[in-house]
Amino acid sequence: MHRRSPLRVVLAEDGVLFREGLRSLLERFDIVTVAAVSDAETLVEAVAEHGPDLVITDVRMPPGFGNEGLRAAVELRTKHPALPIVVLSHFVETRYVDKLLDSNEGRAVGYLLKERVAEVENFVASLRQVSEGGAVIDPSVIRRLVQRRDPLDQLTRREREVLILMAEGHSNARIARELTVSEAAVGKHTASIMAKLGLAHGDADINRRVKAVLAFLRG
Amino acid sequence: MRSLGAVLGAVLVGGVSHLLIGPMLIPVIILVEILVEARQDVNEAELWIVVLLPFLSLGMLLLLGPLVALPVAAVERWRLRLVHPPVRSGHRTPRGGVRRWLRTRYSEAATWREFAYLLLLCLVIAPLSALVLIGFAGYGLVLLGAPLLVAAGEQLVFNQFRVSGVGAAFALVPVGAALLVVSPYAAAVTAHLNAVLGRILLGGEPSEALRSELVEVKRSRARLVDSFEAERRRIERDLHDDTQQRLVTLAMKLGLARMDSPAGSPVERSLADAQEQVKEIISSMREIIQGIHPPLLTDEGLVAALPELAERCAFPVDLTVDLTERSPAHVEGVVYFAAAEALGNVAKHSEAHRTAVTVERAGEDVVLEVTDDGRGGADPERGTGLTGLADRVAVLGGRTLLSSPVGGPTRIRVEVPCTGAPRSASS
């Protein structure tokens, strides 16, 4: 973990317990919570006031406990297309992800299940990735998307595993570690996946690669 | 003779009713007077009064009329027994206080039929009865006694014709006798007319009371379903807001603790283990909540929740949702539950390759159809799933149809009416 200038975050979460826990977690990683709010309206105001590097928001929040958090996120993206946003949800709901990925071509967005916070280092790495313009989508969501698409039948089991990790925005080196195979093998798999899905391959930019894969998965 | 009594009764009751209703007509009487006095030159203020007065009368009639109609109707039912088989009252017997009683009475058809009878009684029956009494019985008696009256020095004048002497008066006796003989028949006809009107307007079929009770039962059943739905949503919200949040926070704390302990140490390993367990609990909690009431259904309705449900299935589902607007919460809940149950059955029993789900609005109903090309032979008797589904649909007054010949295909059709219970506000 190398140091860089601290990220400034606006955090929206109505559960006090989780919100405060998350705030202290971020603190340990040198991420400053400039505002912690508990409803969608205040979130929009706080972003206008602080101009954060990153927004982390819950989906269900007061007043209606519907998808206010997500709607606020989409609204924020229309106002500030480049604003990085990570949505934390209790549920895998691809519909929500779709809405999010539709904004700013799916750049600088994250959609993670709340329990991913427990894998502290990964979680913080994901936050940084999104703040730098990447896309990070929860593996369970990717799995759901993978189920949706028929051409994936052509992929081998190993290739699917690699695809899911790719869609989460991991580098080949990271995927190799995750699957305990050589990086060269991962390179072969990715090339084969891209070829089978008819996507431009050999793209060195991970974020572009993620985008291509996500775009494919969403049909 | 009984008919004469009945007719006399009509006149009496009519007279009393007139006295009771009369005050309500005062505004109209005032109006008539104003119009007579004003003739042409009505200024604007007076014009308003003129316009308002009939409405005032009408309002009073509608407000207070039933209160007069109820006792009058009771008296009339008793009176009509003179000439007719007894008439049963069509009223319900409400339990509870005065307000409840008033609400029931003012909302019953029976009350307003009695009110109509009251108006008819005052305007038609009583005048007609009076006419019969005076015209036939009254005149008959007078003519019969004409010689006596003339002898006693009374003056008898009919139109232009003056009875000049006792001799002439004797000529009237047969006419009087004839009138008297005819009078019971005239009275009978009148009383019969009165009785027929009374039967129509004062009686109620027992079935009507039953019908209204049935409606009440249906309503309360729908209310029950609605409150179950609301309760499910409340449980789901509580689990989500409290239990889920605590678990996630716990997982996070364990994660932080793991970071602080040396990698690979026994402490770190047992923390990792604990973390895994919490994650599993979180997953199953998610499943439980989805089962109780999917959040997406609350937020965005069937249009969003059904695709999500179809995606969660391990087999391909062709889904068509053709709904332009959201249905009441209890309907959405039942349709979603039915779809989930049907897809669950497909997964468990049918070995299907293709499953098609369609949801559409047909008139007042939301119609769900689930068709699979599996091996068929689904039997509601065997499992509780299908009967449970049918029960939940039936409570809302809906229908569940199943066709599942051995060898397939299996088709389940569920029709849920969008009427009945009020939509409870989603909290």
Side-chain angles (χ1 to χ4, degrees), chain B residues 361-380:
Chain B
R361 189 78 188 247
E364 283 293 303
D365 293 357
V366 173
V367 179
L368 162 82
E369 277 205 15
V370 182
T371 313
D372 71 70
D373 60 359
R375 57 203 173 95
D379 181 5

Side-chain angles (χ1 to χ4, degrees), chain A residues 18 22 25 86-90 92 111-126 136-143 168, chain B residues 248 251-252 255 275-276 279 282-283 286:
Chain A
F18 187 69
L22 196 52
L25 182 153
V86 173
V87 174
L88 296 179
S89 174
H90 276 294
V92 183
Y111 183 95
L112 294 170
L113 285 179
K114 277 194 181 163
E115 59 256 42
R116 302 292 165 211
V117 176
E119 295 152 29
V120 182
E121 276 139 333
N122 279 349
F123 173 69
V124 172
S126 300
V136 177
I137 305 299
D138 200 277
S140 55
V141 177
I142 304 288
R143 260 181 225 112
E168 282 174 58
Chain B
V248 170
M252 178 164 71
Q275 218 182 357
E276 269 323 295
K279 270 197 209 157
I282 290 172
S283 295
R286 194 167 17 242

Side-chain angles (χ1 to χ4, degrees), chain B residues 66-333:
Chain B
L67 294 179
V68 177
L70 290 169
V72 168
V75 170
E76 285 293 273
R77 269 193 292 273
W78 172 80
R79 185 172 69 79
L80 289 174
R81 285 161 71 175
L82 280 173
V83 286
H84 245 274
V87 178
R88 285 179 49 119
S89 149
H91 285 299
R92 297 200 294 269
T93 32
R95 285 197 194 81
V98 173
R99 278 185 48 190
R100 185 79 186 269
W101 182 87
L102 280 175
R103 218 178 50 208
T104 310
R105 285 289 172 267
Y106 273 86
S107 62
E108 281 180 317
T111 305
W112 295 102
R113 284 204 307 264
E114 285 169 359
F115 178 61
Y117 177 86
L118 176 72
L119 295 182
L120 275 173
L121 178 73
C122 292
L123 299 174
V124 180
I125 299 169
L128 192 68
S129 304
L131 200 70
V132 167
L133 274 182
I134 294 164
F136 287 87
Y139 261 92
L141 281 173
V142 168
L143 294 182
L144 203 58
L148 289 174
L149 290 170
V150 172
E154 289 282 339
Q155 294 277 353
L156 286 181
V157 181
F158 303 106
N159 291 346
Q160 307 298 316
F161 178 69
R162 207 158 154 233
V163 182
S164 48
V166 179
F170 268 110
L172 293 176
V173 171
V175 181
L179 276 179
L180 270 184
V181 170
V182 176
S183 73
Y185 296 98
V189 170
T190 313
H192 184 71
L193 175 73
N194 183 176
V196 167
L197 281 174
R199 272 199 92 70
I200 294 171
L201 294 173
L202 298 180
E205 301 155 25
S207 78
E208 181 183 316
L210 258 181
R211 238 204 326 270
S212 57
E213 270 164 35
L214 262 180
V215 169
E216 193 43 50
V217 167
K218 255 193 164 143
R219 276 199 201 132
S220 69
R221 229 170 37 163
R223 272 201 300 272
L224 206 60
V225 174
D226 220 36
S227 64
F228 277 143
E229 275 304 315
E231 196 57 17
R232 291 169 88 90
R233 279 201 301 275
R234 196 187 59 75
I235 294 170
E236 176 259 316
R237 169 107 343 121
D238 286 353
L239 285 175
H240 175 275
D241 287 352
D242 189 66
T243 319
Q244 244 184 340
Q245 196 203 139
R246 278 168 199 275
L247 285 170
V248 170
T249 311
L250 173 63
M252 178 164 71
K253 291 209 160 127
L254 287 169
L256 285 169
R258 252 181 88 186
M259 269 181 54
D260 294 340
S261 50
S265 66
V267 174
E268 197 261 351
R269 275 207 302 277
S270 46
L271 281 172
D273 195 34
Q275 218 182 357
E276 269 323 295
Q277 300 226 12
V278 173
K279 270 197 209 157
E280 275 171 32
I281 298 173
I282 290 172
S283 295
S284 55
M285 180 59 65
R286 194 167 17 242
E287 289 300 314
I288 290 168
I289 290 176
Q290 289 282 11
I292 293 172
H293 196 100
L296 195 58
L297 184 62
T298 314
D299 298 346
E300 302 186 45
L302 289 168
V303 174
L306 287 173
E308 202 72 38
L309 177 69
E311 269 182 24
R312 280 211 304 275
C313 287
F315 50 88
V317 176
D318 299 329
L319 176 73
T320 321
V321 183
D322 187 10
L323 295 170
T324 45
E325 51 182 22
R326 290 197 61 171
S327 317
H330 60 279
V331 175
E332 284 186 341

Side-chain angles (χ1 to χ4, degrees), chain A residues 68-124:
Chain A
E68 277 85 350
L70 187 88
R71 279 209 296 268
V74 173
E75 182 190 330
L76 285 171
R77 292 277 286 194
T78 14
K79 274 196 222 157
H80 326 275
L83 177 70
I85 295 187
V86 173
V87 174
L88 296 179
S89 174
H90 276 294
F91 300 97
V92 183
E93 280 160 343
T94 47
R95 198 178 150 86
Y96 289 169
V97 185
D98 281 349
K99 281 188 179 163
L100 212 56
L101 290 174
D102 282 337
S103 59
N104 191 15
E105 300 175 341
R107 264 199 294 272
V109 289
Y111 183 95
L112 294 170
L113 285 179
K114 277 194 181 163
E115 59 256 42
R116 302 292 165 211
V117 176
E119 295 152 29
V120 182
E121 276 139 333
N122 279 349
F123 173 69
V124 172

